[in-house]
Amino acid sequence: MISKKFASSATSAKAVKIAAALVVAGVLAACQDSNGLRSARAYQPIPADTLALIQSKGSSKNAPILIRTYKKESELEIWKQTADGSYVHLKTYPMCRWSGQLGPKKREGDRQVPEGFYSITPAQMNPNSNYYLSFNVGYPNAYDRSKGYTGSMIMVHGDCSSAGCFSMTDEQIAEIYAIAREAFAGGQQAIQMQSMPFRMSPENLAKHRVDPNMPFWKEIKEGYDQFEVSKREPRVAVCNGRYTFGSASMNGPGCAPVQDSEVSALVAERRRDQDAKVAELVASGVKPVKVVYSDGGQNPQFAHVTMVSRPEALAAGPVEIDLDDKGKPAPRTAVAKVTPAATQPAATSAQPAATAVARSTAQPVAPAVPTATAFAPATPPVAVPATATASDKPFYQRWMGIADVLKADEAAPAAAPTAADTTASTPAVTPVVAPPSRPAARSSLRQQPAQQHPQQNSKVVDPRQKTSSLPGIITGAHEPLPSGVLSFAR
């Protein structure tokens, strides 16, 4: 009897542990690996058109691949190895979402997307991700650990949601996952992923030349350049807390890879050419800048996608801040002023209050003097004489009598103001002419002019974000009203 009770208790305890483990696995399966049953999503075939493209490039579905990502351009590239060992560009996927700023990831929770060289193995593939499909990029790598950087579970996944990950659409990650799966099936042991802040062009190097991250970016550019000139996967090592790259073998002195002399010469030539172009750009007046994001970005092709993480951050858009040669903000030489004659609200992500100010065209008046502001299409201002009868009426009667006032204005032109009108004890109506073309009266703060953020015009607030689309109330600002409607300031 005792043994039966003991067995029953042990069985119950085991069942409780299994249930608890399943609960924990369900909680942690969002952007990370889980040990549940494999999803059928992970076995979707490579699309037929992509297979045809692979064959046209002189490669095969089981040939090794290499991944390159660019945060500023919001793009992910897949390269395929050919029979001679070199890589050819296969496809560029526009990135649906990434978070943080340009620069490496340094600590847990900083929302940064890592930068550097990473390795993806079959064990890092996650067929059961809550973000459709995913694979771990391998952060932190040996370089990150040598710097004391913290964080984990940085993925490439679907669902257009990022908190430090590379987020794609579900359709994109299904194809990328399938291409990687077939490469592993063909014998590839690890996929190299080169994560860059931007394409290492002379233009980007000139604009970001005083960025504090530039020494690190030049460090990883060495491996970037080796791949550019050779189209072969660079060998990566970390020596004394620095990236080192080789093209021959890993058996060099100390921990440094062996350099191929021909590749080294091509890299040196490329560097000289780029340095000369950077110098020309600087001499032509290209200013150093710092690009500041509200929280990462996305490729403009996904401006229509509404179900993304933190849509309000995307709506703000990146801001370029001009710097001096010491990396400090340069004096602003051209500042857009908000004036009543502006045809569009001068709104930027760095100046949200300017939008509200642009909506107010009423001239400053003494607080105790009630005034009326009339918004009408581009017509000459018409002075409306104030009468004791109108001003003596209670506020609600004047409000309810708006229709009568409008009809009277339409029936006959207003008389020119007389000396008696200007000296009357009652306050006069102050006419203000509205701009020729105004946005709708209740347009959202996130609706930017098309010429400023064309990719944001169709952005809709994600209902999951609990974010109001109405503008905030700012003291002294008034919403523009339709033509012919009076608004009484108090």
Side-chain angles (χ1 to χ4, degrees), residues 253-386:
C255 62
V258 176
Q259 300 288 341
D260 180 274
S261 58
E262 182 179 354
V263 173
S264 296
L266 291 173
V267 169
E269 181 181 358
R270 173 183 169 84
R271 186 182 300 118
R272 286 193 299 270
D273 291 343
Q274 287 198 325
D275 289 345
K277 291 179 181 178
V278 169
E280 290 177 6
L281 290 169
V282 173
S284 68
V286 173
K287 296 182 179 298
V289 301
K290 180 176 180 61
V291 180
V292 179
Y293 297 83
S294 180
D295 183 21
Q298 70 174 172
N299 193 283
Q301 293 190 29
F302 294 108
H304 66 283
V305 177
T306 60
M307 299 298 288
V308 296
S309 60
R310 300 202 64 194
E312 72 283 359
L314 291 176
V319 177
E320 282 194 355
I321 302 174
D322 290 344
L323 304 176
D324 59 22
D325 291 336
K326 296 182 179 179
K328 296 182 179 180
R332 301 182 67 89
T333 56
V335 180
K337 297 182 179 180
V338 179
T339 61
T343 58
Q344 293 289 346
T348 66
S349 58
Q351 297 174 329
T355 304
V357 175
R359 292 175 178 169
S360 174
T361 59
Q363 301 297 327
V365 296
V369 180
T371 60
T373 303
F375 290 86
T379 57
V382 178
V384 180

Side-chain angles (χ1 to χ4, degrees), residues 410-451:
E410 294 172 358
T418 63
D421 294 327
T422 57
T423 57
S425 59
T426 56
V429 176
T430 304
V432 179
V433 179
S437 59
R438 267 198 175 280
R442 298 188 182 278
S443 61
S444 169
L445 277 176
R446 291 190 289 108
Q447 293 176 337
Q448 302 294 341
Q451 65 271 25

Side-chain angles (χ1 to χ4, degrees), residues 24-392:
V24 171
V27 172
L28 297 180
C31 189
Q32 60 190 32
D33 294 339
S34 61
N35 297 319
L37 297 176
R38 292 188 175 183
S39 168
R41 299 169 179 170
Y43 293 96
Q44 298 178 67
I46 298 175
D49 58 343
T50 303
L51 277 176
L53 181 62
I54 291 174
Q55 293 174 357
S56 70
K57 298 284 187 177
S59 185
S60 67
K61 72 174 186 178
N62 295 126
I65 68 171
L66 183 144
I67 298 175
R68 306 180 99 188
T69 61
Y70 311 94
K71 287 158 69 171
K72 185 178 180 181
E73 292 82 5
S74 299
E75 292 179 338
L76 182 149
E77 293 178 347
I78 288 186
W79 293 67
K80 264 286 187 179
Q81 192 179 66
T82 59
D84 66 357
S86 64
Y87 282 83
V88 293
H89 174 254
L90 179 66
K91 266 191 172 184
T92 295
Y93 298 84
M95 203 177 298
C96 192
R97 193 74 172 90
W98 61 272
S99 59
Q101 308 290 332
L102 299 182
K105 180 177 181 64
K106 295 184 177 181
R107 66 180 188 278
E108 181 78 41
D110 62 4
R111 299 185 64 85
Q112 284 291 102
V113 173
E115 294 173 3
F117 286 72
Y118 296 90
S119 183
I120 302 162
T121 65
Q124 293 164 224
M125 305 291 285
N126 179 15
N128 303 298
S129 172
N130 283 353
Y131 291 71
Y132 199 79
L133 290 168
S134 67
F135 53 85
N136 192 316
V137 304
Y139 175 91
N141 61 13
Y143 176 89
D144 302 321
R145 292 192 296 271
S146 73
K147 299 295 184 181
Y149 297 165
T150 60
S152 62
M153 297 303 175
I154 303 300
M155 303 279 174
V156 176
H157 60 64
D159 201 45
C160 284
S161 176
S162 176
C165 295
F166 304 83
S167 185
M168 318 299 293
T169 65
D170 293 350
E171 182 180 6
Q172 286 176 323
I173 191 61
E175 181 170 307
I176 296 169
Y177 193 99
I179 294 173
R181 180 196 67 220
E182 295 301 328
F184 286 134
Q188 186 171 10
Q189 297 182 357
I191 298 170
Q192 184 176 103
M193 180 171 176
Q194 304 176 6
S195 179
M196 300 291 147
F198 41 71
R199 295 185 181 276
M200 297 293 184
S201 65
E203 292 75 18
N204 279 330
L205 294 172
K207 294 180 72 172
H208 297 278
R209 62 185 182 271
V210 299
D211 193 289
N213 292 304
M214 185 51 74
F216 168 72
W217 291 339
K218 286 184 175 180
E219 195 173 309
I220 60 177
K221 184 178 180 294
E222 177 71 23
Y224 179 97
D225 288 344
Q226 283 194 18
F227 182 78
E228 285 291 307
V229 300
S230 69
K231 295 300 183 288
R232 294 178 182 271
E233 180 180 320
R235 300 176 183 272
V236 185
V238 178
C239 294
N240 301 319
R242 288 181 56 86
Y243 275 109
T244 57
F245 302 93
S247 51
S249 71
M250 296 298 291
N251 299 321
C255 62
V258 176
Q259 300 288 341
D260 180 274
S261 58
E262 182 179 354
V263 173
S264 296
L266 291 173
V267 169
E269 181 181 358
R270 173 183 169 84
R271 186 182 300 118
R272 286 193 299 270
D273 291 343
Q274 287 198 325
D275 289 345
K277 291 179 181 178
V278 169
E280 290 177 6
L281 290 169
V282 173
S284 68
V286 173
K287 296 182 179 298
V289 301
K290 180 176 180 61
V291 180
V292 179
Y293 297 83
S294 180
D295 183 21
Q298 70 174 172
N299 193 283
Q301 293 190 29
F302 294 108
H304 66 283
V305 177
T306 60
M307 299 298 288
V308 296
S309 60
R310 300 202 64 194
E312 72 283 359
L314 291 176
V319 177
E320 282 194 355
I321 302 174
D322 290 344
L323 304 176
D324 59 22
D325 291 336
K326 296 182 179 179
K328 296 182 179 180
R332 301 182 67 89
T333 56
V335 180
K337 297 182 179 180
V338 179
T339 61
T343 58
Q344 293 289 346
T348 66
S349 58
Q351 297 174 329
T355 304
V357 175
R359 292 175 178 169
S360 174
T361 59
Q363 301 297 327
V365 296
V369 180
T371 60
T373 303
F375 290 86
T379 57
V382 178
V384 180
T387 62
T389 304
S391 61
D392 290 342

